[in-house]
Amino acid sequence: IGLGFLTVLTLLALVIALGLSRLTAINDTVHAITSDRYAKIVRVNSIYEEVNSIALIMRDTLLFTDQQELSKDLAKIENSKKIIDENFAELEKVIKTPKGVEILRSALNSRAAYKDSQELFTKLHAEGKLDEAKALLTNPLRPQQQGYLAALKSMIVFQTELMDKSVQAAEEQYESARTTLLALGVLAIALGALIAWLISRSITRPIGEAVKIAETVASGDLSKKIEVHTKDETGMLLNALRAMSDSLVKIVGEVRLGTDTIATASSQIASGNLDLSSRTEEQASSLEETASSMEELTSTVKQNADNARQANQLAVSASSVAERGGAVVSEVVNTMDEINTSAKKIVDIIGVIDGIAFQTNIPVSYTH
C-alpha cells in the first residue's frame, strides 16, 4: 500500500512540477508578448503617429498665416519630438536582438536625416521664406519622411513577427504541456488503477481465504491445514487463524479426553444410582414398617400417657397416704425406741438371772 501511494504521489508531484514548469514558460512567453513585444510595437506606433502628426502640422503651417495658430502648431511639433525622443530612448534599452538593433539603427539614421531637414524647414518658415520651406517640404522632406516611416514599419513588422512567434511558442508550449499532462494523467490513472487492483487483490484474496478458513473452523472442521506465504497484515491474520485452529484442536482434544472421563464417571454414577435406587426401595420398605411401628408406638405412647396421668393421680394419692404413713411411722419409731429400751432392760435382767442361775446351778425356765 505504501509503495502504491508513493508511486501515485510521485506521479502527482511530477504532474504538478511539469504543469508549473510549463505554466511558468507560458507565463514568460505571455509576459514577453505583453510587456516586451507588444510594448515595443506600441512605442513604434506612437513614433509613427507622431511623425505623421509633425508632417501634417508642417503642411498646415504653409497654409495658415495666423501667428497664434502657428505658435500652437510649432508647440505641437516640439511636444511630438519629445514623445519621439522618449520612445526611442526606451526602445534602445529593450531591443537586444541583432536584427532588432539593426532595424532600430536604420530608423534612427532615417530620423536623423529627417530631423535635420525638419529643423531647416522650421528655420526657413520662421524667416518667412515660405517658398523655400514649401520646396523643402516637397523635397527632400517628403522622401525622407517616407524612408523614416518605412524604417518604423520595418520595426513594427519585425516586432509583430517576434510577437507572433511568441504567441506560436505559447501555443506550442500549451499543446506540449496539455499533451504531456494528459499523458502523465492517463499514466497516473492507469498506474493508480493497476496499483489499486493489485492492492485490492493482495488484500481481498488473503481475506477471502481467511474467511473460508474461519467458516471451516466455525463448521467444526479443524483438519484444514493453513499455509502462510506473506508477512504482511493478512499474513499476520492467517498466522493468528492458524494459531487459533491449533489451539482449538488442542482444546477439542482436551475436551474429548474430559468427555471420556465424564462418560466413565457417568457410567459409574449410573451404576451407583441403580444401587442407591435399590437401597432406597429397601429403605422405603423399612420406612413403611417403621411408620407402622411408629403408629403402634404412637398408640402405645398415647396409652402410656393416659396410664401416666392415672399413675400421676395415684402418685398424688400415694403421696397423701405416704404423708399420713410418715406420721404413723414416726409414732411407730418412737414406740420401737421405747420397746428397744425396754428390751435392753429385759436383756439386762435376763443376764442377771443367768448369772444367778450359773452360780447356783438352779435350772431356770423362762416363760414368756
Side-chain angles (χ1 to χ4, degrees):
I1 294 175
L3 181 61
F5 278 111
L6 178 62
T7 303
V8 173
L9 290 175
T10 301
L11 287 174
L12 179 61
L14 182 60
V15 169
I16 293 173
L18 181 61
L20 289 175
S21 175
R22 295 303 175 87
L23 286 175
T24 301
I26 293 173
N27 180 68
D28 293 339
T29 304
V30 172
H31 179 75
I33 292 171
T34 56
S35 301
D36 185 54
R37 307 284 190 267
Y38 180 73
K40 292 174 182 177
I41 292 173
V42 169
R43 291 189 180 279
V44 176
N45 279 326
S46 177
I47 294 172
Y48 192 91
E49 291 174 358
E50 296 300 331
V51 170
N52 282 328
S53 177
I54 291 172
L56 292 174
I57 291 171
M58 287 191 299
R59 186 192 63 184
D60 291 340
T61 57
L62 297 176
L63 299 176
F64 302 105
T65 57
D66 188 356
Q67 292 297 322
Q68 187 175 0
E69 292 295 331
L70 183 61
S71 298
K72 290 180 180 181
D73 291 337
L74 293 176
K76 289 179 181 180
I77 290 174
E78 293 300 324
N79 185 57
S80 295
K81 288 180 179 180
K82 184 178 179 181
I83 293 173
I84 292 171
D85 290 338
E86 292 175 354
N87 285 324
F88 269 116
E90 291 297 325
L91 289 173
E92 286 179 338
K93 292 178 181 178
V94 297
I95 294 177
K96 302 297 181 181
T97 61
K99 186 175 181 180
V101 171
E102 181 183 353
I103 295 173
L104 177 61
R105 293 302 174 193
S106 176
L108 288 172
N109 292 332
S110 298
R111 181 201 177 198
Y114 178 75
K115 187 177 182 181
D116 292 339
S117 298
Q118 182 183 14
E119 290 176 355
L120 179 59
F121 174 83
T122 302
K123 181 180 178 181
L124 292 173
H125 193 284
E127 293 175 355
K129 300 177 180 180
L130 298 181
D131 292 335
E132 294 181 6
K134 185 177 181 180
L136 182 63
L137 183 63
T138 304
N139 188 26
L141 268 176
R142 185 172 180 80
Q144 290 173 346
Q145 178 188 359
Q146 295 298 326
Y148 186 17
L149 294 176
L152 293 175
K153 284 183 177 180
S154 297
M155 290 183 64
I156 293 172
V157 170
F158 176 70
Q159 295 299 327
T160 302
E161 289 176 353
L162 292 179
M163 188 171 66
D164 291 340
K165 289 180 179 179
S166 297
V167 171
Q168 184 178 1
E171 291 177 352
E172 290 176 354
Q173 289 172 349
Y174 164 74
E175 293 292 335
S176 176
R178 185 182 66 177
T179 302
T180 305
L181 290 176
L182 285 175
L184 286 176
V186 171
L187 179 61
I189 291 172
L191 285 178
L194 178 61
I195 292 170
W197 179 76
L198 291 174
I199 292 173
S200 299
R201 185 169 178 269
S202 66
I203 294 174
T204 54
R205 286 186 64 187
I207 292 297
E209 184 178 354
V211 169
K212 290 181 180 179
I213 293 171
E215 290 176 349
T216 303
V217 172
S219 65
D221 183 8
L222 301 177
S223 61
K224 184 176 178 59
K225 185 178 180 181
I226 302 175
E227 296 181 357
V228 181
H229 303 288
T230 60
K231 295 183 179 179
D232 54 7
E233 288 78 3
T234 53
M236 295 170 64
L237 175 61
L238 290 175
N239 275 325
L241 287 174
R242 181 171 62 184
M244 182 189 70
S245 179
D246 294 340
S247 298
L248 287 175
V249 169
K250 182 179 179 181
I251 291 171
V252 168
E254 293 176 353
V255 170
R256 182 174 297 172
L257 179 61
T259 303
D260 293 339
T261 304
I262 291 171
T264 302
S266 298
S267 178
Q268 294 175 356
I269 291 171
S271 178
N273 285 335
L274 290 175
D275 186 24
L276 179 62
S277 178
S278 63
R279 292 182 181 181
T280 302
E281 290 177 357
E282 295 176 357
Q283 291 294 328
S285 178
S286 299
L287 286 174
E288 289 178 357
E289 295 177 357
T290 302
S292 178
S293 300
M294 288 299 293
E295 290 177 357
E296 295 177 357
L297 180 60
T298 301
S299 176
T300 304
V301 168
K302 289 182 179 179
Q303 186 177 359
N304 289 334
D306 294 336
N307 294 332
R309 283 194 294 271
Q310 293 176 2
N312 185 39
Q313 293 176 357
L314 292 174
V316 172
S317 299
S319 176
S320 177
V321 172
E323 289 179 358
R324 291 194 299 270
V328 173
V329 168
S330 296
E331 294 178 357
V332 171
V333 169
N334 291 329
T335 301
M336 289 301 292
D337 286 337
E338 293 177 357
I339 291 171
N340 188 31
T341 302
S342 298
K344 286 180 179 180
K345 291 178 178 181
I346 292 170
V347 170
D348 290 336
I349 293 171
I350 291 170
V352 172
I353 293 171
D354 284 336
I356 294 172
F358 286 133
Q359 289 177 2
T360 58
N361 290 322
I362 299 173
V364 180
S365 62
Y366 299 91
T367 302
H368 294 286

